[in-house]
């Protein structure tokens, strides 16, 4: 009996030792995995994505300008059109107010009329030769200035249609050109009416 009890005790101890060693063997991989995870968490992690700069700035980098510079030819055309528009408006004003050339031409016609008119000529002939021709000469020169202003203004307004496609015209150039056209048209109308004695004709002499 005593021997059997000792054998059972030794067998129980051997079984417990085997179970402890089995538990230790089974827990080995899990422990190693836990240790590896802890080591990974404690280490430095790299970012998932790398941020790249939007553009490299350097001496070789090409920078596109916001707006293309205006060509010199287009600038020259704009300057010429502006000058022509101003000349058109100025000639229109001259056609309405009179010019030095028209005044000299009228004075010359008056002098010629006085020289060619006989001393004993009638009043109607004297008025016609001395004043009538001078007034018509003044109206003629005014009409020439008005016609020139009208033509220059029309050319300036029509210039973009015959130039570079897509090339615009400054608003002030069009405004001044239209002013020249209007003044030229009014001056031409007045010159025609004055030349034909419809407006400010010679006074009746008898």
């Amino acid at each position: 009996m005593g021997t059997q009890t000792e054998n059972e005790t030794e067998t129980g101890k051997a079984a417990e030792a085997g179970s402890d060693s089995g538990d230790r063997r089974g827990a080995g991989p899990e422990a190693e995995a836990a240790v590896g995870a802890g080591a990974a968490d404690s280490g430095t992690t790299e970012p998932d994505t790398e941020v790249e700069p939007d553009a490299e700035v350097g001496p070789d980098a090409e920078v596109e300008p916001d707006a293309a510079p205006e060509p010199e030819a287009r600038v020259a055309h704009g300057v010429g059109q502006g000058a022509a528009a101003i000349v058109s408006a100025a000639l229109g004003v001259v056609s309405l107010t009179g010019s030095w050339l028209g005044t000299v031409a009228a004075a010359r016609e008056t002098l010629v009329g006085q020289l060619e008119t006989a001393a004993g000529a009638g009043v109607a002939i004297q008025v016609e030769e001395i004043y009538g021709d001078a007034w018509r000469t003044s109206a003629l020169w005014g009409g020439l200035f008005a016609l020139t202003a009208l033509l220059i203004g029309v050319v300036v307004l029509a210039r973009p249609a015959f130039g570079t496609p897509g090339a615009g015209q400054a608003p002030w150039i069009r405004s001044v050109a239209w002013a020249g056209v209007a003044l030229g048209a009014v001056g031409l109308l007045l010159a025609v009416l004055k030349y034909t004695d419809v407006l400010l004709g010679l006074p009746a002499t008898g």
Side-chain angles (χ1 to χ4, degrees):
M1 292 291 292
T3 305
Q4 184 177 2
T5 302
E6 291 177 358
N7 292 334
E8 290 177 358
T9 302
E10 292 177 357
T11 303
K13 291 180 179 181
E16 290 178 359
S19 62
D20 292 340
S21 62
D23 294 338
R24 292 174 182 175
R25 292 174 183 176
E30 295 178 356
E32 291 178 357
V35 172
D41 293 338
S42 61
T44 304
T45 58
E46 297 181 356
D48 295 338
T49 57
E50 296 181 357
V51 179
E52 297 181 357
D54 295 338
E56 296 181 356
V57 179
D60 297 336
E62 296 182 358
V63 179
E64 296 181 357
D66 295 338
E70 192 174 9
E72 295 182 357
R74 185 178 301 177
V75 174
H77 291 166
V79 171
Q81 293 176 18
I86 294 174
V87 170
S88 174
L91 290 177
V93 173
V94 170
S95 68
L96 295 176
T97 59
S99 63
W100 173 83
L101 188 59
T103 301
V104 172
R108 182 178 181 280
E109 286 296 327
T110 300
L111 180 60
V112 171
Q114 291 176 354
L115 295 176
E116 292 181 353
T117 302
V123 177
I125 296 176
Q126 292 181 4
V127 170
E128 178 68 25
E129 294 293 333
I130 297 175
Y131 299 103
D133 292 343
W135 290 1
R136 292 188 183 92
T137 301
S138 178
L140 179 62
W141 281 101
L144 290 177
F145 278 104
L147 182 61
T148 304
L150 181 61
L151 293 178
I152 293 177
V154 171
V155 170
V156 172
L157 293 175
R159 179 64 179 85
F162 301 95
T164 304
Q169 192 176 48
W172 72 269
I173 295 178
R174 298 185 62 84
S175 299
V176 177
W178 275 114
V181 170
L183 293 173
V186 173
L188 184 61
L189 177 62
L190 293 178
V192 172
L193 294 177
K194 186 177 180 181
Y195 189 85
T196 57
D197 292 336
V198 175
L199 180 66
L200 299 177
L202 294 174
T205 56

